[in-house]
Structures are given as structure tokens and as C-alpha cells.
Amino acid sequence: MGYDLITWTYDPLETRNAYLNLSKLHAVCSTYVENCYGEMADSLNRGLPSDRFKVEWWINSPHVSKQHEISIDQAQRIFQWETTKNHLPKLMNIEQGLHRIAVMDKPLLVPVPANFQQVKSKDNNLAIDWRFKTRDIFQTLFSQQYVAVSLLKSDELVHYYVLVKQQNLEINI
């Protein structure tokens, strides 16, 4: 049909969507939209800002047609997390990691809950904490020309977004 670019949004804390959009379809994201849809009363969104990633699917680019194999060992972890007493993941203080971004030369990993809806149902305050901390992280990374390119699943309570410098992509954003 002649399309080069298709865009849509999804909640960056919903890892099933992240895996499909970034790791399978090879869409990319460099845009974070705060409270994109305003207050939402449905069970998936109630009580949280409706923050979204705006993804871009450059369907005719080399980036989409190539296999992308970045492992956890090939990327830098600069944001730490711990397990709460309720066996939920909690993102630690992000300030130190935010200050290290400018000196990183490898792809970066950003942890997000493997099952965000479980976090919401067990501890809504923790879910809100994840929303605001990851908002700060992604907005900072995107402003430093990083792009989210995949989601790595792990056996941990978190999965990891992989972000690379925009100049290393084989597309024009």
C-alpha cells in the first residue's frame, strides 16, 4: 500500500505488548507521552496516569528485516531493583543511574516488572512508583538520543528494555 511508517501507542509497563511491538515486530520508540489518554476507569488503567510509548514501525527499513540479538551481557545495567517482602520487584533510587547515562557507550537496560498487573493488584503504591520512576528514566534517555529497540525476557521478576543510541539504528527517526 506504499506505507513506510506506522505508529501506535502502548503502556511501557505492559511487557507483553513491549515484547510484541519491539522484539517481534522491530518497532522502535523514542517518544514518551505522559498521561496520553487522561484518567481511565477500566481495570487495566485505573489509578495510574495513562503514560504511553509512541512506537514507530519503519516497515521498509533494514532495522525491521534484520535479526537483533542483544543479550543482557552485552548491555549495561545502570538501574537497580530489589524484591519487596511481598515478593514484588521495586525499582531502587534512580538518580545515580540517571547521572551515569551520559558516559555510557554500550546499550542500556531498563528493568520493568515482568507482570505489572500483578504489581498493581498487590501494591498500587508500588505500581505508581514504577510509573513515575520509569517515566523519568525513559524521558531522560530519549532526550539523550536513546531509542528503545527490544524487550529481553528474564527469569527474574523484571524484564529489561534495551536502548541504543539513535545513531546506531538503520532507520531515519
Side-chain angles (χ1 to χ4, degrees), residues 6 27 50 52 56 76 78-79 111 133 143 153 156 159:
I6 300 171
S50 59
R52 296 293 185 265
E56 298 176 348
Q76 185 71 42
I78 60 173
F79 300 102
K133 284 180 179 174
S143 74
K153 294 182 177 182
E156 303 171 341
H159 294 322

Side-chain angles (χ1 to χ4, degrees), residues 28-151:
V28 297
C29 179
S30 61
T31 305
Y32 191 98
V33 183
E34 286 185 32
N35 207 20
C36 183
Y37 302 110
E39 293 295 319
M40 299 173 71
D42 64 286
S43 62
L44 290 176
N45 297 287
R46 185 178 321 127
L48 289 173
S50 59
D51 290 13
R52 296 293 185 265
F53 270 7
K54 178 185 167 202
V55 293
E56 298 176 348
W57 192 27
W58 295 90
I59 56 180
N60 295 315
S61 72
H63 175 79
V64 170
S65 60
K66 286 186 175 182
Q67 287 292 348
H68 304 278
E69 298 293 331
I70 297 175
S71 71
I72 287 178
D73 297 335
Q74 295 171 311
Q76 185 71 42
R77 295 182 199 219
I78 60 173
F79 300 102
Q80 304 301 315
W81 64 277
E82 67 180 5
T83 304
T84 68
K85 64 181 177 179
N86 295 333
H87 199 63
L88 297 171
K90 178 181 180 182
L91 196 54
M92 303 301 293
N93 182 334
I94 63 171
E95 294 306 315
Q96 183 179 13
L98 290 174
H99 292 300
R100 292 178 58 201
I101 290 170
V103 298
M104 295 292 111
D105 60 349
K106 293 172 39 172
L108 300 180
L109 296 176
V110 176
V112 291
N115 187 338
F116 186 60
Q117 291 303 317
Q118 179 183 40
V119 172
K120 271 187 66 177
S121 70
K122 290 186 174 183
D123 188 340
N124 196 59
N125 287 332
L126 181 58
I128 292 169
D129 186 62
W130 273 103
R131 172 68 77 212
F132 288 115
K133 284 180 179 174
T134 55
R135 176 191 284 178
D136 287 345
I137 291 169
F138 289 120
Q139 287 180 331
T140 300
L141 286 168
F142 294 160
S143 74
Q144 304 258 339
Q145 305 306 305
Y146 278 90
V147 179
V149 295
S150 66
L151 182 93

